[in-house]
Amino acid sequence: MACTCNAHNQEKYQQLDAVIAEYIDQPGSLINVLHKAQGIFGYLPEEVQAYIAEKMDIPLSEIYGVVTFYALFTTEPKGKYNFNVCLGTACYVKGSGKILERVEKELGIKLNETSADGLFSIEACRCVGACGLAPVMTVNGEVYGRLTPDKVPAIIQKYKDLEANN
Amino acid sequence: MEMVNVIIDGKAVEVEKGSTVLQAAQKAGVHIPTLCYLKDVNAIGACRVCLVEVKGAKALQPSCVYPVSEGLEVHTNTAKVREARKAVVELLLSNHPADCLTCVRSGNCELQSLARQLGIREIRFEGEKNTFPIDDRSLAIVRDPNKCILCRRCIATCQKVQGVSILGTINRGFNSTVGPAFMHPLDDINCALCGQCINACPVGALSEKDDTAKVWDALADENKHCVVQFSPAVRIAISEEFGIPMGAISTGKTVAALRRLGFDKVFDTNWSADLTIMEEGTELLHRIQNGGVLPQITSCSPGWIKYCEHHYPDQLDHLSSAKSPQQMFGAIVKTYYAQKAGVDPATIFSCSVMPCTAKKYECARPEMNSSGYRDVDCVITVREVARMIRQTGINLAELPEEECDSPLGVGTGAGTIFGATGGVMEAALRTVYEVVTGKTLEKVDFEEVRGMEGIKEATVDLDGTPVKVAVVHTLANAKKMMDKVRAGEADYAFIEIMACPGGCVGGGGTPIVNSLTRTILPTDYRAIRGLGLYEDDKNLPLRKSHENPFIKAVYAEFLGEPLSHKSHELLHTTYTPRIKYNLNWNK
């Protein structure tokens, strides 16, 4: 979830200012700025896009067009633990569709959704470069390979336990 | 200019280097069908309707973006070309609602014309259709993305002509659509509601909010006293809706038609344009004499006002406090006129016919109720009034010329030119000159403030005092001027700003001029309409606002003098700072 703490938010905008300052004189650098902004905020909400629009003097409609064109940009906050199921060719023929279904069922949310408590979200991708381990899923970058649907609940439990112990 | 020789369909033609095949074809008298192309606004090769065979090229090429080169040989009418164009349009139709019979653009839809031109008799491709929500929340503009063919003409217009960039492409592939960022309703954002996007749209994806039903209801209501005003530009623009040549004046016929629709009184916004000059001109003199905020900027164009409130909220004190002619008229109808005619203002239905979509929004602004009632009850555009006239079976072209009713029915030539860019300035100068100098202005034509140049400047000699003025049209040019004003670099006394290209004659509520017509007309259609207004001005017996006897009467009988207490109450207004974007980080 986005931090609502003002000081923390201010810090993020200061980081964004530095990114914009780095790219402002380079034509065609909007995608770089958006990419880094998403790294800072976790997603690209309206106020972040509007901020970039104002600071870079680019129409908000154009920025929103770029954000919605590229699948890697998201306007929704990601969960603290982001499940990314590979639906690339190798994983798909090895049954990653069933993995995704099971993740959705166990977490009670659909693809591209975030759970109400902000802990979990599900995404799909088109190859993580680990086809030898297909079907593959990552959670916050940690790779889980040679999956079967029945292995999914234990992985989810791991993150629930982690959260409970925090 | 370097020239190149090309051959279009066997015909040799010499064109300027840098031209496109489409332009060369036009010069050769060959009309290549287009869809996403809009002269001077959009040439992006997106729709592929203008495909042609270029000798030596592997694939068919879009002629609107393909540059000419020496010896280029092009065929625009081969079987391969015809089949390709047909397939392109069929694919567009496969994801387009086939509701032509009831569509607002039926009869002047460019997609419909293309389907007819290409002989499409069935839609071979059946598949998924987009279902996007319709945005009909604003008072001025309706957006139906399901009818959108993604030509991007509206986007280019909003971005390049108006510089506001409300519209953009959203998503990708089959889910692509056109709309404002975050799909916000136009109502909620910094859209000026100028309606230029409607004029650019080839189909029914963008249209005016249709208020004709409200007007019919009022006309049918025996207890209502229905009063109508029509603006300067309407008398020109309406001609095209009824087959009268572009730029021809139809004042008398418009009056006759409105009377036949059932209005109790038909009045002329030219009258209140004259009233605006009295108030705004006097305000200007006051500002000059008393060290007020200068430059003073005109406030007739509600699209411009809304733009200024969103984008230059710190500069609102430059705006003349004078209401627009429409709103002055509304306030006077329910006070002065009601008293004079012995009509209860509560029963008056005050309608206005405008070349403008933003006027629909203006009349609903909360402060526009100084008569004690809503000053103007309903605004319909030229397109809507033409629709109403057609519904009655009347052909406006065949009607006799009739005169407006008294006392708000006489306007001067100064009022009539309000409809063209530079007109308000010229009208103001005619009056201000005579008021300041006490002399008669011999040459009433101020040629230097006329014409289609984006920003015009002039210095007028008021008996030894030079007064610098500027005239601006389109919001993109307004931005340039306002940046100067904000920086304190605009050393003008008075600036006229109109939101739409060419002024009101190019308004978002005027008849839609399709892409082909725009291409083949010898000059900008808004310039042609504007010249019609200057012709009207030349032929009117009175050409200075302060000479209008009915303006003199309203001051003598009711208002007192310009900027009197009563004038301030009824004819002047205030503005509201608004936000450009919803910036939470700003708070």
Side-chain angles (χ1 to χ4, degrees), chain B residues 371-399:
Chain B
S371 61
Y373 304 88
R374 191 110 298 268
D375 294 336
V376 173
D377 293 293
C378 187
V379 175
I380 51 172
T381 61
V382 180
R383 295 191 292 267
E384 289 165 272
V385 82
R387 223 171 276 157
M388 291 181 70
I389 294 168
R390 276 194 290 272
Q391 280 177 43
T392 62
I394 294 169
N395 181 359
L396 180 132
E398 292 167 355
L399 290 178

Side-chain angles (χ1 to χ4, degrees), chain B residues 211 326 352 354 356 359-360 363 376-381 384:
Chain B
D211 288 312
Q326 161 175 294
S352 89
M354 291 286 142
C356 182
K359 287 278 171 197
K360 288 172 179 281
C363 86
V376 173
D377 293 293
C378 187
V379 175
I380 51 172
T381 61
E384 289 165 272

Side-chain angles (χ1 to χ4, degrees), chain B residues 1 46 82 95 105 134 166 169 204 345 359 384 393 425 450 487 535 551 559:
Chain B
M1 181 59 75
R82 280 196 308 274
N95 184 22
R105 289 296 296 273
I134 294 171
I166 294 299
T169 30
K359 287 278 171 197
E384 289 165 272
M425 180 59 68
R450 297 183 182 182
E535 193 59 30
I551 290 295
L559 293 169

